[in-house]
Amino acid sequence: MSYIAAIDQGTTSSRCIVFDQSGGIVSVAQREHRQIFPKPGWVEHDASEIWTNVQSVVRDALAHASLSYTDIAAFGITNQRETTVVWDKATGEPVHNAIVWQDTRTDALIKSLGDQNRFRERSGLPLATYFSGPKLRWLLDNVSGLRERAERGEVLFGTMDTWLIWNLTGRHVTDVTNASRTMLMNLETLDWDPELVSAMDVPRSMLPEIRSSSEVYGNYEGVPVASALGDQQAALFGQTCFEAGEGKCTYGTGAFLLINTGDKPVQSANGLLTTVGYKIGDEPAAYALEGAVAVTGALVQWFRDKVGLISSAAEIETLARTVDDNGGAYFVPAFSGLFAPHWRSDARGVIAGLTGYISRGHLARAVLEASAWQTREVVDAMNADSGVDLTTLRVDGGMTANNLLMQFLSDVLDVPVVRPIVAETTCLGAAYAAGLAVGYWSSTDELKANWHKAAEWEPSMEPAARDKGYRKWKKAVERTVGWMDEDDD
Amino acid sequence: MPGPIQSIQRAAEVLKLLAHGGAHQLSVGEISRALDLPKPTVHGILRTLHEVGFVEQPVEGGKYRLGAALFQIGTSYLDGNELRAKALNWSDSLAMRAREAVRIGVLHGKHVLVVHHVFRPDNSRQTLDTGALLPWHATALGKALVAFGEWPDGELRRFTRHTLDEAGLRLALDQALVRDWAYDLHELVEGEASVAAPIRDGRGAVVGAIGVSGPVERLCEAPDQPPRLELVSYVREAARSISRELGGLSW
Ligand SMILES: Nc1ncnc2c1ncn2[C@@H]1O[C@H](COP(=O)(O)OP(=O)(O)O)[C@@H](O)[C@H]1O
Ligand SMILES: [Mg+2]
């Protein structure tokens, strides 16, 4: 019997999951990496540390199931998106820490580039600190001598997929989904857009070749490396959302609602992103509308690591259950500004409604509820864009282990929330795409048959309570915007 | 009476510092700064605490955190939410392989508290029963837990004519203890069966149990036969994987 190994290079950790033909998990290995916060608003990762971690989780995942490379039919890759790294072509050494997607250092640069919608039609994206192109530009402007080296062809740019594939196979490639987050790719041609590249002022020669999401890029230890998808697109794929109108929301560091819109990019009038969903080999690409929320699980992690009221992420539920409600407290975690549907980089976090009554249990509730209310905002935007109301929300990701959150989510959306039998849909999607490329699975229909409902939460909140909660949430959001001033850095 | 022993006092300070705020990990440098002690002293204290298992160093040369042996002196409690989070992948896999509903339970007085529930993977309508209480003596989950713990007080209610009495239960528990798994056959509901195996934490204590349940005709070869061995092995494998996740078994 052979297996597919998926490598998920996430924001908080890297993991490798080995799947069998039914999509069942055979083995897991995971390793967290350091979150480097050099200044307020700055977030970095050490790309070399990540590459070391990826090698060891691959080794460990195989060892845990007593497998060798010959048992693996293909590797699939999925990754935190937009995180940007530049490295020396000759030595493979990164020239700087990777700049993580949540990082807001490009704020001033973004403002100088003009109107927020300037690149929207070509790239599908509003001008925001979130995307890779501006991060690359920042490196070129700020790492001494880098622009000259780039122009001499001595350094390469990549998102984490590119960094891993280059290290695994020696090829300098990216896939359409990751490329669609750089703000440098044209959504129609699926190639680097000369106008975008020149507006961002980055040398074309350091950009990787854009390939499909499901094809053999090269080999590692004799095993084909056969897929690359941004983590959210991989989750869409893992949830088998292959038809227009099908979608999901993944809860990890942030939360990302993606709906497949078929083979045409659809522009949003309500603050959603237009992005590539996936592209299987030579088939036409599938596009998606996306509601990206920057901070959900990251708030739980912050509560654990920086506030120290809990010792593990799961304990937030225990603490939250020590009280019956949020006591009137609302937490808007605009740590990196606000993403969808607001796109306000001048916003910063707020805890609103504080009184002497508020205990740590209430704060824990407010932390969890923030994930649900932020989802409500992007679901409302999605409903407005599509003209059809969502009837069920398919969820996945690490936070779906949190029952209190899933119930509250169903309550505030007023629709059932459904979790599939593999919560690790990000890895599963990368495995599926790789398996299709090497013929391990024959078709997307075969994959669809693997999807099963593992849990379902039904709404049970009084409409008046829901409306009041949402009203308060919106008031709290209003209080986050305009916080940053010109002299803040 | 001799005065307080300085090195014990200092060791206690180090433990308190590590315990502050939960699963904090601290480096020798951080501890030495926080307690205003020379690094070599801190290093010596940590080395000794490490030897007796009161602190751990997950990565060699890295930071320290509280060790498993320390919790052994405290309670054997594991947060049910933590257990669910750690078990998620393996309970899903079990449901897929067994094609049956999966539950994870912890002992709660004379009941089993369901901390996690995975639907039978057939997309039929099912209701999440996380938070439900099951009688320990009429379920595989309960037997797998009590076999490695204390006999709960309280009356053993008869649900069906197959519900075991105390003598029958004692035998079943002995068997579960030896086999490391338990089952129920028509004991809670006529026509239904369940299989479960214990989940162990980092120091080998049973902190929960995982099992599948369903109609006897799907789980057993015959109505009077215990569940099929293939199912038993799936359940035990899942229990072992979760125990590994909790540090209870090495790979
Ligand atoms: N039981 C839980 N309750 C709340 N948050 C959780 C729980 N388990 C994990 N998380 C959060 O989920 C995130 C990890 O999920 P994961 O899918 O691995 O994220 P990513 O892929 O972005 O690195 C962390 O931010 C963590 O705080
Ligand atoms: Mg992830």
Side-chain angles (χ1 to χ4, degrees):
Chain A
M1 189 150 58
S2 67
Y3 303 89
I4 303 284
I7 298 169
D8 175 6
Q9 201 301 292
T11 309
T12 43
S13 68
S14 303
R15 58 190 140 218
C16 177
I17 301 189
V18 179
F19 293 94
D20 64 23
Q21 201 137 16
S22 71
I25 291 178
V26 174
S27 177
V28 181
Q30 182 171 356
R31 220 165 258 228
E32 283 196 18
H33 53 262
R34 281 174 307 140
Q35 304 292 320
I36 304 163
F37 301 106
K39 292 186 188 185
W42 291 31
V43 191
E44 299 179 351
H45 291 159
D46 176 349
S48 302
E49 177 189 3
I50 284 178
W51 167 236
T52 306
N53 284 1
V54 164
Q55 288 168 280
S56 48
V57 294
V58 167
R59 231 181 293 117
D60 292 350
L62 295 186
H64 290 170
S66 309
L67 298 173
S68 64
Y69 288 106
T70 53
D71 298 311
I72 304 300
F75 280 113
I77 291 177
T78 176
N79 56 289
Q80 52 168 329
R81 306 171 303 172
E82 301 97 8
T83 297
T84 298
V85 58
V86 172
W87 65 94
D88 185 311
K89 196 171 168 178
T91 65
E93 284 299 318
V95 300
H96 189 275
N97 276 337
I99 304 181
V100 178
W101 57 275
Q102 304 144 308
D103 190 293
T104 56
R105 77 184 64 188
T106 54
D107 200 14
L109 170 64
I110 292 294
K111 284 204 193 87
S112 75
L113 285 170
D115 182 71
Q116 193 171 49
N117 291 322
R118 181 175 169 199
F119 302 137
R120 209 182 240 285
E121 213 178 287
R122 283 167 186 272
S123 71
L125 313 171
L127 263 170
T129 58
Y130 182 21
F131 308 106
S132 326
K135 295 184 202 295
L136 170 56
R137 165 73 179 275
W138 186 93
L139 288 169
L140 290 165
D141 290 350
N142 289 278
V143 177
S144 139
L146 190 60
R147 186 171 284 278
E148 294 70 40
R149 292 175 67 194
E151 264 144 21
R152 287 198 301 268
E154 293 169 15
V155 291
L156 301 175
F157 152 83
T159 38
M160 296 317 275
D161 54 317
T162 306
W163 170 242
L164 293 185
I165 296 174
W166 190 82
N167 277 293
L168 289 164
T169 72
R171 275 187 76 192
H172 188 224
V173 296
T174 186
D175 94 297
V176 281
T177 67
N178 278 293
S180 77
R181 317 295 293 193
T182 56
M183 214 174 220
L184 302 171
M185 191 188 82
N186 184 301
L187 273 181
E188 301 277 354
T189 64
L190 302 179
D191 200 354
W192 303 120
D193 183 302
E195 202 154 311
L196 293 172
V197 171
S198 88
M200 203 61 77
D201 195 16
V202 299
R204 169 72 177 75
S205 58
M206 70 189 303
L207 305 179
E209 180 190 350
I210 303 177
R211 306 292 316 175
S212 81
S213 322
S214 172
E215 65 177 60
V216 177
Y217 309 113
N219 292 289
Y220 175 65
E221 301 287 350
V223 181
V225 176
S227 74
L229 287 151
D231 52 6
Q232 302 311 320
Q233 281 87 346
L236 187 74
F237 209 85
Q239 286 260 24
T240 65
C241 298
F242 301 131
E243 307 288 327
E246 292 181 336
K248 62 83 207 180
C249 192
T250 303
Y251 293 85
T253 304
F256 301 84
L257 176 70
L258 272 80
I259 309 282
N260 186 330
T261 59
D263 56 14
K264 288 273 166 313
V266 174
Q267 292 289 340
S268 169
N270 293 283
L272 303 176
L273 308 176
T274 308
T275 200
V276 181
Y278 55 86
K279 177 169 161 53
I280 305 173
D282 295 332
E283 291 175 33
Y287 292 87
L289 269 177
E290 168 176 325
V293 174
V295 176
T296 54
L299 181 59
V300 176
Q301 205 174 355
W302 173 85
F303 204 64
R304 180 194 76 181
D305 297 341
K306 299 288 179 70
V307 183
L309 283 174
I310 49 172
S311 60
S312 75
E315 256 179 49
I316 189 109
E317 183 171 353
T318 314
L319 184 54
R321 283 188 193 276
T322 59
V323 292
D324 294 327
D325 55 34
N326 63 15
Y330 290 79
F331 200 148
V332 187
F335 293 177
S336 312
L338 286 170
F339 281 22
H342 311 284
W343 300 106
R344 292 293 297 252
S345 54
D346 61 345
R348 285 299 178 271
V350 153
I351 306 176
L354 278 181
T355 59
Y357 172 75
I358 299 301
S359 69
R360 49 187 176 166
H362 297 119
L363 288 180
R365 285 243 169 203
V367 162
L368 287 179
E369 292 180 7
S371 297
W373 290 122
Q374 292 186 100
T375 309
R376 170 72 192 263
E377 291 180 327
V378 292
V379 166
D380 282 3
M382 199 67 83
N383 288 346
D385 267 342
S386 68
V388 208
D389 283 357
L390 184 86
T391 50
T392 340
L393 183 69
R394 284 190 182 189
V395 297
D396 51 70
M399 285 185 98
T400 59
N402 194 308
N403 260 311
L404 186 64
L405 171 60
M406 292 300 110
Q407 182 57 54
F408 191 76
L409 184 60
S410 169
D411 286 344
V412 305
L413 296 178
D414 200 22
V415 298
V417 166
V418 172
R419 175 177 89 76
I421 200 143
V422 177
E424 294 282 357
T425 49
T426 301
C427 274
L428 186 62
Y432 279 171
L436 284 176
V438 298
Y440 185 80
W441 285 295
S442 61
S443 68
T444 51
D445 287 342
E446 186 185 350
L447 303 178
K448 257 192 163 346
N450 281 346
W451 192 96
H452 293 293
K453 193 195 299 181
E456 178 162 7
W457 293 268
E458 299 269 356
S460 68
M461 190 185 254
E462 292 295 329
R466 175 165 48 239
D467 294 346
K468 180 176 175 199
Y470 198 26
R471 189 178 74 232
K472 290 290 186 198
W473 168 262
K474 286 180 166 165
K475 287 175 92 170
V477 169
E478 281 167 24
R479 280 155 179 77
T480 65
V481 297
W483 180 258
M484 296 304 277
D485 298 316
E486 289 296 325
D487 59 352
D488 282 318
D489 57 19
Chain B
M1 268 250 308
I5 300 169
Q6 195 189 35
S7 57
I8 295 183
Q9 270 181 331
R10 284 178 169 173
E13 296 279 359
V14 171
L15 291 174
K16 277 191 217 155
L17 194 67
L18 285 169
H20 180 79
H24 257 28
Q25 298 201 8
L26 296 172
S27 66
V28 176
E30 286 165 328
I31 297 173
S32 111
R33 269 194 301 281
L35 299 179
D36 202 20
L37 289 173
K39 269 194 185 179
T41 312
V42 172
H43 204 266
I45 292 171
L46 285 169
R47 213 178 39 228
T48 312
L49 290 172
H50 191 256
E51 257 166 43
V52 297
F54 283 13
V55 301
E56 293 172 355
Q57 195 180 24
V59 183
E60 200 170 334
K63 298 190 172 197
Y64 287 86
R65 64 171 183 215
L66 293 183
L70 201 60
F71 297 97
Q72 209 160 6
I73 334 180
T75 84
S76 77
Y77 173 77
L78 176 73
D79 189 320
N81 295 317
E82 184 79 39
L83 180 55
R84 182 188 322 112
K86 290 268 162 53
L88 204 61
N89 287 330
W90 306 111
S91 43
D92 280 352
S93 284
L94 174 57
M96 261 163 89
R97 298 176 80 183
R99 319 299 307 172
E100 297 294 345
V102 170
R103 282 177 185 73
I104 292 180
V106 298
L107 216 47
H108 188 82
K110 57 178 179 142
H111 287 104
V112 175
L113 171 66
V114 177
V115 297
H116 185 41
H117 173 197
V118 184
F119 290 170
R120 187 176 59 252
D122 58 7
N123 294 340
S124 65
R125 196 169 173 79
Q126 296 164 71
T127 317
L128 205 61
D129 68 2
T130 310
L133 293 172
L134 307 171
W136 80 265
H137 66 282
T139 56
L141 286 172
K143 290 188 220 172
L145 289 164
V146 172
F148 299 92
E150 263 178 62
W151 185 280
D153 291 332
E155 167 217 16
L156 302 171
R157 193 176 138 204
R158 270 183 87 88
F159 296 98
T160 70
R161 63 200 167 86
H162 298 281
T163 309
L164 301 180
D165 59 11
E166 185 173 335
L169 269 172
R170 297 243 180 237
L171 273 176
L173 294 194
D174 285 346
Q175 207 176 46
L177 194 68
V178 174
R179 292 177 167 174
D180 215 37
W181 60 275
Y183 71 94
D184 112 73
L185 193 59
H186 310 283
E187 292 159 51
L188 182 61
V189 178
E190 195 87 48
E192 303 228 332
S194 61
V195 198
I199 298 168
R200 294 186 169 81
D201 71 1
R203 61 213 146 81
V206 171
V207 289
I210 182 167
V212 298
S213 55
V216 168
E217 64 263 26
R218 280 210 306 263
L219 265 61
C220 313
E221 300 289 1
D224 58 348
Q225 292 283 308
R228 287 181 283 117
L229 283 176
E230 184 196 34
L231 270 183
V232 172
S233 73
Y234 292 160
V235 169
R236 297 187 66 194
E237 245 169 75
R240 274 199 296 266
S241 296
I242 300 166
S243 301
R244 259 180 222 126
E245 207 77 55
L246 297 173
L249 284 171
S250 55
W251 286 95

